[in-house]
């Protein structure tokens, strides 16, 4: 068969976008042209690459197997074309980050990288750890920086740096006023305001604290650190959250950190990449920059 790069580009775009309509916009084709390119590719292969679910297309087993190879072919063709023109390969990266990392670490990280690579184009997608793992696994992101753990064998977790969580509350909270060292039993009847399940922050709480407080009263779960801290600073319950997020309210006196040496609240932060992802010079440069 004689497949074309256009057909491969449409295949990758549909896999990443989920519909032919969105994929056609990504590859700058009309919807009919994108549909025809995908149909010609599947006809040439003699097998479908997607399961049709209404208007949505979901990769089947063959599609999932071929996607990494299609991405590598397109990546190498881009590098070939730019080398032929005597150009440096452009840096165009889709990066993901979990909420704590995106709010407190990514602004400086991206700004410093752009100082070294002023022509680079970075797109940032934000979500919780579970969402970032899924996006990297589906090749929707080139790399993600996450707070939680990942056990999928096809994804590579590279240790990036460490972060520390802390238990915090308003200065007027009853536990903040105790004139003695705290024990795990002191937290038995405390109300908690926490991140949602699937976040790296919640994973640490569940593993480190819930083993001592099996009947924890979880009053609220929210998807953003700032909202949680404002509620806690207002006097409702307490939270377990990254010190990076707590610091501004700590300095203003709106929150205090409780000493809890009986709980291990340190955690590693990881860079997450797909093992089958073609790593061009731009992605390699960003990984090296993060490591340094």
């Amino acid at each position: 068969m004689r497949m074309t790069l256009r057909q491969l580009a449409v295949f990758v775009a549909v896999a990443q976008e989920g519909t032919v309509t969105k994929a056609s916009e990504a590859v700058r084709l009309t919807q009919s042209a994108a549909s025809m390119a995908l149909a010609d590719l599947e006809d040439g292969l003699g097998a479908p690459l997607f399961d049709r679910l209404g208007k949505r297309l979901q990769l089947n087993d063959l599609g999932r197997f071929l996607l990494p190879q299609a991405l590598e072919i397109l990546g190498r063709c881009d590098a070939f074309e730019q080398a032929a023109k005597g150009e440096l390969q452009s840096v165009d990266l889709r990066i993901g980050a979990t909420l704590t990392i995106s709010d407190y670490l990514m602004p400086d990280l991206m700004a410093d990288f752009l100082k070294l690579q002023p022509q680079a184009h970075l797109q940032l997608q934000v979500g919780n750890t579970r969402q970032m793992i899924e996006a990297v696994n589906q090749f929707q992101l080139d790399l993600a920086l996450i707070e939680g753990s990942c056990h999928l064998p096809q994804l590579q977790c590279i240790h990036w740096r460490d972060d520390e969580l802390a238990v915090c509350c308003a200065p007027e909270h009853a536990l903040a006023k105790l004139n003695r060292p705290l024990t795990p039993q002191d937290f038995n009847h405390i109300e908690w305001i926490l991140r949602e399940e699937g976040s790296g922050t919640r994973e640490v709480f569940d593993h480190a604290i819930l083993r001592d407080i099996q009947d924890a009263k979880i009053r609220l779960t929210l998807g953003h650190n700032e909202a949680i801290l404002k509620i806690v600073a207002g006097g409702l319950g307490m939270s377990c959250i990254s010190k990076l997020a707590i610091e501004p309210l700590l300095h203003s006196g709106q929150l205090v950190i409780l000493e809890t040496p009986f709980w291990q609240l340190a955690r590693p932060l990881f860079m997450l990449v797909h093992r089958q992802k073609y790593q061009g010079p731009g992605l390699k440069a960003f990984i090296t920059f993060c490591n340094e």
Side-chain angles (χ1 to χ4, degrees), residues 55-282:
K55 290 186 177 181
R56 291 197 62 81
L57 281 76
Q58 184 173 312
L59 284 170
N60 59 22
D61 289 342
L62 178 61
R64 283 191 292 272
F65 176 73
L66 294 179
L67 179 60
Q69 298 173 61
L71 284 163
E72 182 168 359
I73 290 169
L74 293 173
R76 291 189 183 279
C77 285
D78 285 342
F80 180 87
E81 183 179 7
Q82 290 172 347
K85 294 178 180 177
E87 301 173 353
L88 294 175
Q89 187 169 359
S90 61
V91 179
D92 190 350
L93 298 176
R94 297 162 302 161
I95 301 169
T98 48
L99 287 171
T100 300
I101 294 174
S102 69
D103 286 347
Y104 305 102
L105 298 176
M106 285 305 294
D108 288 341
L109 185 72
M110 294 175 70
D112 290 343
F113 181 74
L114 290 172
K115 289 176 184 176
L116 296 177
Q117 302 275 355
Q119 304 304 316
H121 180 240
L122 305 179
Q123 301 177 57
L124 179 63
Q125 179 177 324
V126 180
N128 63 32
T129 296
R130 185 181 297 167
Q131 293 166 337
M132 293 296 100
I133 290 173
E134 179 64 20
V136 173
N137 191 43
Q138 295 296 324
F139 296 95
Q140 295 167 350
L141 294 173
D142 298 309
L143 173 144
L145 298 170
I146 64 171
E147 306 157 37
S149 56
C150 173
H151 305 292
L152 295 181
Q154 64 269 33
L155 303 186
Q156 182 182 11
C157 262
I158 306 166
H159 180 258
W160 175 38
R161 57 175 289 174
D162 294 317
D163 183 32
E164 188 173 355
L165 276 64
V167 175
C168 65
C169 62
E172 299 79 20
H173 195 282
L175 290 192
K177 295 182 177 181
L178 286 181
N179 293 318
R180 61 168 175 80
L182 296 172
T183 68
Q185 290 70 37
D186 291 321
F187 295 84
N188 281 337
H189 304 293
I190 296 301
E191 293 184 335
W192 293 90
I193 316 297
L194 300 173
R195 284 287 306 278
E196 78 286 3
E197 292 185 1
S199 70
T201 301
R202 179 62 178 272
E203 183 180 6
V204 173
F205 175 86
D206 289 350
H207 289 166
I209 297 179
L210 278 190
R211 60 184 175 84
D212 290 330
I213 312 173
Q214 296 181 359
D215 296 322
K217 296 182 177 180
I218 301 175
R219 180 75 177 273
L220 276 176
T221 57
L222 298 170
H224 205 283
N225 296 330
E226 299 296 332
I228 290 172
L229 292 176
K230 286 181 180 178
I231 291 173
V232 173
L236 180 61
M238 62 178 53
S239 189
C240 177
I241 210 160
S242 172
K243 284 186 175 179
L244 293 169
I246 298 172
E247 254 182 30
L249 295 179
L250 194 66
H251 293 318
S252 65
Q254 295 175 268
L255 289 174
V256 295
I257 288 178
L258 301 181
E259 296 295 328
T260 56
F262 36 83
W263 289 326
Q264 175 53 255
L265 299 179
R267 62 177 177 181
L269 305 180
F270 296 101
M271 285 184 287
L272 191 66
V273 292
H274 203 293
R275 294 184 187 277
Q276 294 179 293
K277 168 72 180 173
Y278 169 64
Q279 294 189 14

Side-chain angles (χ1 to χ4, degrees), residues 4-38:
T4 67
L5 293 178
R6 171 177 287 185
Q7 291 171 353
L8 290 180
V10 171
F11 164 52
V12 168
V14 173
Q16 293 175 339
E17 301 294 341
T19 67
V20 174
T21 301
K22 291 183 178 179
S24 64
E25 295 172 359
V27 295
R28 298 179 182 177
L29 292 174
T30 64
Q31 185 173 341
S32 59
S35 295
M36 185 175 298
L38 180 59

